[in-house]
């Protein structure tokens, strides 16, 4: 069966209303959209009187975690995953539908299959959820979830504390802003700007969020960026930028693996560059992590579909942002990728 919608948002809203206890999960190493999606669904369930808890497979950046507030999210160690205990009426999987991204909870999810609901905006996925709504036209998973919140009849400002923090709107905005590169990427279209306006009107403090998420780096992270940039090479006549980060780059700078986020975008500042690739030696996982980004169509309507490129390496994602994992040494993988994109 292909990865496409097989139910409606209204049917999912109905199922949630009928549940007593719901588990919400997302892809391992959650980004802003993944964690924002988990938080939004939990808060929406709470607003309709349904118990819900998040199960999130770490690592997860602390600046994102600071948006959890008192929303119940359990952070699972990927190396020693525990399984949810007790009865759950439903499991909701957000921002992914791929088994490769759900490995830690896969046995539990497989056993729950008939009661698993998927809400995703990725083009590719597996038969994880029996019922799913997939809309790749949404700039973030939280943009899709906004429709679910509306179908539930829940106020976007629900869950906010006295200072307006920790609302459904804040969780939705976190996913929307981060997945669209703060509304700069091509997936930020009229609908995304429209939703952003609505969420800001519901009380989201975008300046505080920007500072918390984008301007709270450690110096080690910026030093890691310098290492990545010093590895920069241009291939395919300057149309593709490639960078690599070796194990020594992490050891020397003291930066952590999750601090590579966003580095792949830096070479896109160069005019002729149409796509950028970052290869990272993930020593702990024993794989080379590949990140792909591309610019939207230029004057000639040409663009590089990095979802296709990543698929050639067993990965996937979106047309302009994708990822993959490869076995081998860093240099071997970089050579493989360079040969493929030439
Ligand atoms: Mn997403």
């Amino acid at each position: 069966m292909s990865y496409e919608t097989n139910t409606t948002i209204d049917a999912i809203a109905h199922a949630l209303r009928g549940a007593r206890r719901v588990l919400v999960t997302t892809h391992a190493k959650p980004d802003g959209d993944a964690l924002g999606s988990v938080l939004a669904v939990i808060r929406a369930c709470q607003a309709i009187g349904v118990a819900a808890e998040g199960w999130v497979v770490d690592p997860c950046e602390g600046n994102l975690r600071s948006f959890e507030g008192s929303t119940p999210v359990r952070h699972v160690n990927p190396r020693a995953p525990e399984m949810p205990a007790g009865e759950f009426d439903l499991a909701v999987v957000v921002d992914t539908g791929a088994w490769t991204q759900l490995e830690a909870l896969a046995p539990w999810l497989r056993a729950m299959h008939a009661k698993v609901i998927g809400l995703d905006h990725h083009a590719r996925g597996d038969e994880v959820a029996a019922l799913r709504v997939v809309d790749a036209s949404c700039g973030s998973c939280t943009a899709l979830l906004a429709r679910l919140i509306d179908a539930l009849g829940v106020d976007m400002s629900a869950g906010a504390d006295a200072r307006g923090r920790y609302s459904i709107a804040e969780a939705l905005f976190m996913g929307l802003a981060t997945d669209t590169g703060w509304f700069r990427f091509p997936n930020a279209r009229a609908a995304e700007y429209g939703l952003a306006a609505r969420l800001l009107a519901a009380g989201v403090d975008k300046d505080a969020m920007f500072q918390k998420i984008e301007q709270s780096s450690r110096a080690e992270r910026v030093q890691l960026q310098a290492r990545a940039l010093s590895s920069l090479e241009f291939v395919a006549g300057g149309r593709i930028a490639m960078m690599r980060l070796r194990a020594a780059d992490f050891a020397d700078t003291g930066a952590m693996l999750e601090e590579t986020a966003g580095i792949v975008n830096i070479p896109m500042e160069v005019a002729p560059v149409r796509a950028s690739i970052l290869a990272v030696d993930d020593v702990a996982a024993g794989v080379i992590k590949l990140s792909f980004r591309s610019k939207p169509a230029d004057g000639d309507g040409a663009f590089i579909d990095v979802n296709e490129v990543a698929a050639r390496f067993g990965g996937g994602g979106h047309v302009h942002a994708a990822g993959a994992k490869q076995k081998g040494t860093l240099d071997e993988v970089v050579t493989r990728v360079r040969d493929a994109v030439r």
Side-chain angles (χ1 to χ4, degrees):
M1 192 189 270
S2 62
Y3 188 61
E4 54 190 33
T5 298
N6 64 5
T7 186
T8 63
I9 288 286
D10 284 338
I12 291 176
H14 182 77
L16 285 175
R17 268 196 218 96
R20 281 157 304 174
R21 190 169 175 224
V22 175
L23 181 146
V24 189
T25 191
T26 185
H27 58 79
K29 298 180 190 172
D31 56 9
D33 191 30
L35 186 63
S37 295
V38 168
L39 295 175
V41 173
I42 298 171
R43 289 170 189 168
C45 285
Q46 290 174 333
I48 59 168
V50 173
E53 62 191 77
W55 280 64
V56 162
V57 179
D58 280 348
C60 178
E61 279 184 49
N63 50 14
L64 294 179
R65 286 188 66 164
S66 71
F67 288 86
E68 290 175 7
S70 59
T71 303
V73 179
R74 180 185 284 256
H75 286 264
V76 180
N77 177 352
R79 267 165 236 129
E82 41 187 331
M83 290 300 137
E87 283 291 305
F88 287 90
D89 305 302
L90 288 175
V92 181
V93 178
V94 288
D95 201 34
T96 185
W99 283 123
T100 53
Q101 295 192 303
L102 292 162
E103 271 167 5
L105 289 179
W108 187 84
L109 285 169
R110 285 185 197 278
M112 279 287 284
H113 182 263
K115 300 174 185 174
V116 179
I117 287 172
L119 289 148
D120 190 20
H121 71 133
H122 291 85
R124 287 164 209 268
D126 304 312
E127 199 63 25
V128 173
L131 294 174
R132 58 181 176 261
V133 171
V134 181
D135 188 345
S137 76
C138 288
S140 67
C141 186
T142 62
L144 174 59
L145 293 178
R147 287 184 219 153
L148 176 64
I149 310 300
D150 287 340
L152 286 168
V154 172
D155 193 306
M156 289 288 186
S157 56
D161 70 5
R163 284 160 36 244
R165 294 289 319 277
Y166 313 117
S167 64
I168 292 174
E170 188 185 64
L172 294 178
F173 195 90
M174 180 164 82
L176 186 63
T178 55
D179 253 27
T180 59
W182 295 85
F183 308 98
R184 291 171 299 136
F185 297 158
N187 62 349
R189 290 166 288 241
E192 285 71 25
Y193 280 93
L195 177 59
R198 219 184 130 194
L199 299 175
L200 294 176
V204 175
D205 184 344
K206 69 175 173 62
D207 299 333
M209 189 185 290
F210 186 81
Q211 246 184 72
K212 192 81 199 166
I213 295 178
E214 305 296 337
Q215 298 179 323
S216 299
S217 292
R218 303 190 310 145
E220 288 85 341
R221 183 190 138 82
V222 181
Q223 281 153 357
L224 188 71
Q225 286 186 355
R227 292 296 186 102
L229 283 172
S230 73
S231 78
L232 178 63
E233 57 174 323
F234 297 101
V235 298
R239 294 174 71 243
I240 296 178
M242 292 188 66
M243 298 183 295
R244 69 189 82 185
L245 282 169
R246 302 176 183 282
D249 294 322
F250 292 92
D252 295 349
T253 60
M256 296 178 293
L257 192 70
E258 51 268 35
E259 291 178 304
T260 57
I263 291 179
V264 65
N265 293 309
I266 302 174
M268 305 275 257
E269 291 174 19
V270 179
V273 167
R274 304 302 307 165
S276 174
I277 304 169
L278 173 66
V280 176
D281 195 348
D282 183 348
V283 179
V287 294
I288 306 302
K289 238 185 73 180
L290 295 167
S291 300
F292 304 87
R293 296 292 183 277
S294 67
K295 289 179 183 171
D298 61 13
D300 299 332
F303 66 91
I304 295 170
D305 181 349
V306 291
N307 185 34
E308 287 293 328
V309 180
R312 280 192 254 162
F313 294 97
H318 304 281
V319 174
H320 296 297
K325 288 172 190 166
Q326 285 280 290
K327 291 275 181 195
T329 69
L330 184 64
D331 291 341
E332 280 166 11
V333 171
V334 167
T335 302
R336 220 176 287 159
V337 174
R338 193 195 290 119
D339 289 347
V341 299
R342 244 187 198 136

